[in-house]
Amino acid sequence: MYAERASSGLPGAVLWTHTPSASEAGRVLPDGCMDLLWHAGRLLVAGPDTRAYGTDGAPGPWAGIRLPPGTAPALLGVPAHELRDRRVALADLWPPERARRLAAHVEAATDPARGLERAAMALASETGPPDPLLRRVALALAAGRPVSVTADELGLGARQLHRLSLAAFGYGPKTLARVLRLQRALALARAGTPLADTALRAGYADQAHLSREVRALTGVTMGRLLAR
Protein backbone atom coordinates (compact mmCIF):
# COMPACT_ATOMS: atom_id res chain seq x y z
CA MET A 1 0.00 0.00 0.00
CA TYR A 2 1.26 3.47 -0.90
CA ALA A 3 0.38 6.74 0.83
CA GLU A 4 1.79 10.25 0.65
CA ARG A 5 1.28 13.62 2.28
CA ALA A 6 2.76 17.06 1.91
CA SER A 7 5.62 17.97 4.20
CA SER A 8 4.70 20.56 6.80
CA GLY A 9 8.30 21.66 7.24
CA LEU A 10 9.84 21.75 3.76
CA PRO A 11 7.92 23.59 1.03
CA GLY A 12 7.23 21.39 -1.98
CA ALA A 13 8.49 18.19 -0.35
CA VAL A 14 6.31 15.08 -0.05
CA LEU A 15 6.46 12.37 2.61
CA TRP A 16 5.50 8.88 1.50
CA THR A 17 5.30 5.32 2.77
CA HIS A 18 4.99 2.08 0.84
CA THR A 19 4.70 -1.54 1.89
CA PRO A 20 4.86 -3.76 -1.21
CA SER A 21 3.87 -7.38 -1.31
CA ALA A 22 6.60 -9.94 -1.86
CA SER A 23 5.57 -10.42 -5.51
CA GLU A 24 4.85 -6.80 -6.33
CA ALA A 25 6.93 -4.96 -8.90
CA GLY A 26 6.43 -1.24 -9.31
CA ARG A 27 7.35 1.53 -11.71
CA VAL A 28 8.67 4.87 -10.45
CA LEU A 29 8.20 7.52 -13.12
CA PRO A 30 10.69 10.32 -13.77
CA ASP A 31 9.59 13.56 -12.13
CA GLY A 32 12.73 15.67 -11.76
CA CYS A 33 12.85 15.02 -8.01
CA MET A 34 15.29 13.24 -5.72
CA ASP A 35 14.27 11.16 -2.68
CA LEU A 36 15.85 10.30 0.64
CA LEU A 37 14.74 6.74 1.38
CA TRP A 38 14.53 4.55 4.48
CA HIS A 39 14.34 0.76 4.22
CA ALA A 40 15.46 -2.08 6.47
CA GLY A 41 17.52 0.22 8.66
CA ARG A 42 19.34 1.87 5.77
CA LEU A 43 19.28 5.35 4.29
CA LEU A 44 19.46 5.59 0.51
CA VAL A 45 19.29 8.36 -2.03
CA ALA A 46 17.23 8.03 -5.21
CA GLY A 47 18.74 10.20 -7.91
CA PRO A 48 16.82 11.98 -10.66
CA ASP A 49 15.48 9.53 -13.24
CA THR A 50 15.54 9.92 -17.00
CA ARG A 51 13.30 6.89 -17.45
CA ALA A 52 10.99 4.75 -15.37
CA TYR A 53 12.73 2.90 -12.55
CA GLY A 54 11.50 -0.64 -11.95
CA THR A 55 11.25 -1.72 -8.32
CA ASP A 56 11.66 -5.38 -7.45
CA GLY A 57 9.02 -5.54 -4.74
CA ALA A 58 11.53 -6.10 -1.91
CA PRO A 59 9.38 -6.96 1.15
CA GLY A 60 9.13 -4.70 4.14
CA PRO A 61 8.08 -1.10 4.63
CA TRP A 62 9.68 1.81 2.82
CA ALA A 63 9.53 5.48 3.73
CA GLY A 64 10.77 8.48 1.84
CA ILE A 65 10.82 12.21 1.47
CA ARG A 66 10.58 13.42 -2.12
CA LEU A 67 12.47 16.68 -2.51
CA PRO A 68 11.43 19.10 -5.25
CA PRO A 69 13.69 19.61 -8.28
CA GLY A 70 16.97 21.34 -7.47
CA THR A 71 16.67 20.95 -3.67
CA ALA A 72 18.52 17.75 -2.77
CA PRO A 73 22.04 18.43 -4.11
CA ALA A 74 22.61 21.33 -1.69
CA LEU A 75 21.29 19.28 1.26
CA LEU A 76 23.38 16.21 0.44
CA GLY A 77 26.47 17.92 -0.92
CA VAL A 78 26.46 15.86 -4.12
CA PRO A 79 25.84 17.14 -7.68
CA ALA A 80 22.61 15.68 -9.00
CA HIS A 81 24.14 14.34 -12.23
CA GLU A 82 26.37 11.99 -10.20
CA LEU A 83 23.22 10.21 -8.97
CA ARG A 84 21.26 10.22 -12.22
CA ASP A 85 19.26 6.97 -12.66
CA ARG A 86 20.85 5.52 -9.50
CA ARG A 87 19.86 4.38 -6.00
CA VAL A 88 22.84 4.84 -3.67
CA ALA A 89 23.40 4.21 0.04
CA LEU A 90 23.92 7.48 1.88
CA ALA A 91 26.95 5.91 3.57
CA ASP A 92 28.60 5.74 0.14
CA LEU A 93 28.19 9.51 -0.30
CA TRP A 94 29.00 10.76 3.21
CA PRO A 95 31.60 9.91 5.82
CA PRO A 96 30.29 6.68 7.41
CA GLU A 97 29.93 8.13 10.92
CA ARG A 98 27.82 11.04 9.69
CA ALA A 99 25.56 8.68 7.75
CA ARG A 100 25.22 6.41 10.79
CA ARG A 101 24.20 9.33 13.02
CA LEU A 102 21.48 10.38 10.62
CA ALA A 103 20.26 6.77 10.26
CA ALA A 104 20.08 6.48 14.06
CA HIS A 105 17.85 9.56 14.25
CA VAL A 106 15.48 8.14 11.65
CA GLU A 107 15.52 4.72 13.34
CA ALA A 108 14.50 6.31 16.63
CA ALA A 109 11.49 8.07 15.11
CA THR A 110 8.05 6.56 15.66
CA ASP A 111 7.21 7.44 12.05
CA PRO A 112 10.22 6.98 9.72
CA ALA A 113 8.77 9.42 7.19
CA ARG A 114 8.61 12.12 9.86
CA GLY A 115 12.11 11.15 10.90
CA LEU A 116 13.27 11.72 7.34
CA GLU A 117 11.47 15.05 7.29
CA ARG A 118 13.20 16.19 10.47
CA ALA A 119 16.55 15.03 9.07
CA ALA A 120 15.99 16.97 5.84
CA MET A 121 14.91 20.05 7.79
CA ALA A 122 18.09 19.86 9.89
CA LEU A 123 20.19 19.66 6.73
CA ALA A 124 18.29 22.59 5.24
CA SER A 125 19.01 24.67 8.35
CA GLU A 126 22.73 23.98 7.88
CA THR A 127 22.85 24.76 4.17
CA GLY A 128 20.43 27.67 4.06
CA PRO A 129 17.59 28.28 1.58
CA PRO A 130 17.95 26.91 -1.95
CA ASP A 131 19.11 29.19 -4.71
CA PRO A 132 15.97 31.02 -5.91
CA LEU A 133 17.29 30.85 -9.47
CA LEU A 134 16.86 27.07 -9.44
CA ARG A 135 13.22 27.41 -8.45
CA ARG A 136 12.67 29.92 -11.25
CA VAL A 137 14.19 27.53 -13.79
CA ALA A 138 12.07 24.62 -12.57
CA LEU A 139 8.85 26.68 -12.45
CA ALA A 140 9.40 28.07 -15.95
CA LEU A 141 10.03 24.65 -17.48
CA ALA A 142 7.20 23.08 -15.48
CA ALA A 143 4.87 25.72 -16.95
CA GLY A 144 5.98 24.76 -20.45
CA ARG A 145 8.27 27.69 -21.22
CA PRO A 146 10.76 26.84 -23.98
CA VAL A 147 14.33 26.30 -22.81
CA SER A 148 15.70 29.16 -24.91
CA VAL A 149 13.06 31.57 -23.63
CA THR A 150 13.71 30.46 -20.05
CA ALA A 151 17.43 31.10 -20.44
CA ASP A 152 16.83 34.55 -21.92
CA GLU A 153 14.32 35.56 -19.27
CA LEU A 154 16.70 34.54 -16.49
CA GLY A 155 19.71 36.19 -18.10
CA LEU A 156 21.56 32.91 -18.61
CA GLY A 157 23.56 31.69 -21.57
CA ALA A 158 22.76 28.26 -23.01
CA ARG A 159 25.94 26.67 -21.64
CA GLN A 160 25.49 28.33 -18.27
CA LEU A 161 21.93 27.01 -17.98
CA HIS A 162 23.10 23.53 -19.02
CA ARG A 163 25.85 23.43 -16.36
CA LEU A 164 23.47 24.73 -13.72
CA SER A 165 20.85 22.15 -14.66
CA LEU A 166 23.28 19.21 -14.56
CA ALA A 167 24.41 20.06 -11.04
CA ALA A 168 20.99 20.95 -9.65
CA PHE A 169 18.56 18.70 -11.52
CA GLY A 170 20.75 15.87 -12.79
CA TYR A 171 20.29 16.47 -16.49
CA GLY A 172 20.19 19.28 -19.02
CA PRO A 173 17.24 21.66 -19.28
CA LYS A 174 15.80 19.94 -22.36
CA THR A 175 15.57 16.61 -20.53
CA LEU A 176 14.14 18.32 -17.46
CA ALA A 177 11.55 20.01 -19.68
CA ARG A 178 10.57 16.62 -21.17
CA VAL A 179 10.21 15.07 -17.71
CA LEU A 180 8.12 17.95 -16.38
CA ARG A 181 5.96 17.95 -19.52
CA LEU A 182 5.27 14.25 -18.89
CA GLN A 183 4.13 15.08 -15.37
CA ARG A 184 1.82 17.83 -16.71
CA ALA A 185 0.29 15.35 -19.14
CA LEU A 186 -0.21 12.71 -16.46
CA ALA A 187 -1.92 15.18 -14.16
CA LEU A 188 -4.31 16.24 -16.93
CA ALA A 189 -5.06 12.69 -18.06
CA ARG A 190 -5.64 11.45 -14.50
CA ALA A 191 -8.09 14.32 -14.00
CA GLY A 192 -10.14 12.99 -16.92
CA THR A 193 -8.95 15.26 -19.73
CA PRO A 194 -9.26 13.49 -23.12
CA LEU A 195 -5.85 12.47 -24.44
CA ALA A 196 -6.04 14.68 -27.54
CA ASP A 197 -6.71 17.70 -25.32
CA THR A 198 -4.10 16.53 -22.83
CA ALA A 199 -1.48 16.48 -25.57
CA LEU A 200 -2.17 20.03 -26.68
CA ARG A 201 -2.53 21.49 -23.19
CA ALA A 202 0.67 19.80 -21.97
CA GLY A 203 2.68 21.12 -24.91
CA TYR A 204 2.92 18.17 -27.30
CA ALA A 205 2.46 18.55 -31.05
CA ASP A 206 -0.41 16.05 -31.06
CA GLN A 207 -1.63 12.86 -29.38
CA ALA A 208 0.82 10.71 -31.33
CA HIS A 209 3.70 12.82 -30.01
CA LEU A 210 2.34 12.38 -26.48
CA SER A 211 2.15 8.61 -26.95
CA ARG A 212 5.74 8.38 -28.20
CA GLU A 213 7.08 10.45 -25.32
CA VAL A 214 5.13 8.50 -22.70
CA ARG A 215 6.50 5.21 -24.00
CA ALA A 216 10.04 6.61 -24.28
CA LEU A 217 10.09 7.91 -20.70
CA THR A 218 8.02 5.23 -18.94
CA GLY A 219 8.32 2.11 -21.09
CA VAL A 220 4.55 1.63 -21.24
CA THR A 221 1.53 3.25 -22.84
CA MET A 222 -0.56 6.05 -21.36
CA GLY A 223 -3.48 3.64 -21.14
CA ARG A 224 -1.50 1.29 -18.93
CA LEU A 225 -0.34 4.14 -16.70
CA LEU A 226 -3.90 5.36 -16.25
CA ALA A 227 -5.14 1.85 -15.54
CA ARG A 228 -2.75 1.67 -12.59
Side-chain angles (χ1 to χ4, degrees), residues 110-185:
T110 304
D111 177 359
R114 288 295 185 195
L116 289 169
E117 180 184 40
R118 287 194 292 271
M121 290 172 63
L123 293 173
S125 69
E126 297 172 4
T127 59
D131 184 347
L133 180 61
L134 301 178
R135 176 174 170 78
R136 292 174 65 191
V137 170
L139 286 175
L141 297 179
R145 302 289 285 172
V147 171
S148 60
V149 173
T150 297
D152 288 343
E153 290 178 345
L154 298 179
L156 299 172
R159 291 183 180 180
Q160 186 181 8
L161 177 58
H162 189 78
R163 289 194 300 268
L164 179 74
S165 295
L166 284 179
F169 307 117
Y171 24 63
K174 290 185 178 179
T175 298
L176 178 61
R178 288 181 67 202
V179 167
L180 296 178
R181 182 174 59 182
L182 170 69
Q183 291 297 321
R184 289 198 304 276

Side-chain angles (χ1 to χ4, degrees), residues 87-107:
R87 302 308 186 257
V88 181
L90 185 62
D92 293 336
L93 303 175
W94 283 6
E97 181 56 32
R98 187 187 184 202
R100 281 195 293 269
R101 285 199 304 269
L102 192 63
H105 287 305
V106 177
E107 179 96 56

Side-chain angles (χ1 to χ4, degrees), residues 180-193 198 201-202 222 226:
L180 296 178
R181 182 174 59 182
L182 170 69
Q183 291 297 321
R184 289 198 304 276
L186 288 172
L188 288 166
R190 286 168 175 160
T193 304
T198 289
R201 290 175 60 183
M222 178 67 89
L226 295 179

Side-chain angles (χ1 to χ4, degrees), residues 71-85:
T71 304
L75 299 186
L76 302 175
V78 182
H81 65 84
E82 294 187 5
L83 302 176
R84 183 172 52 232
D85 293 321

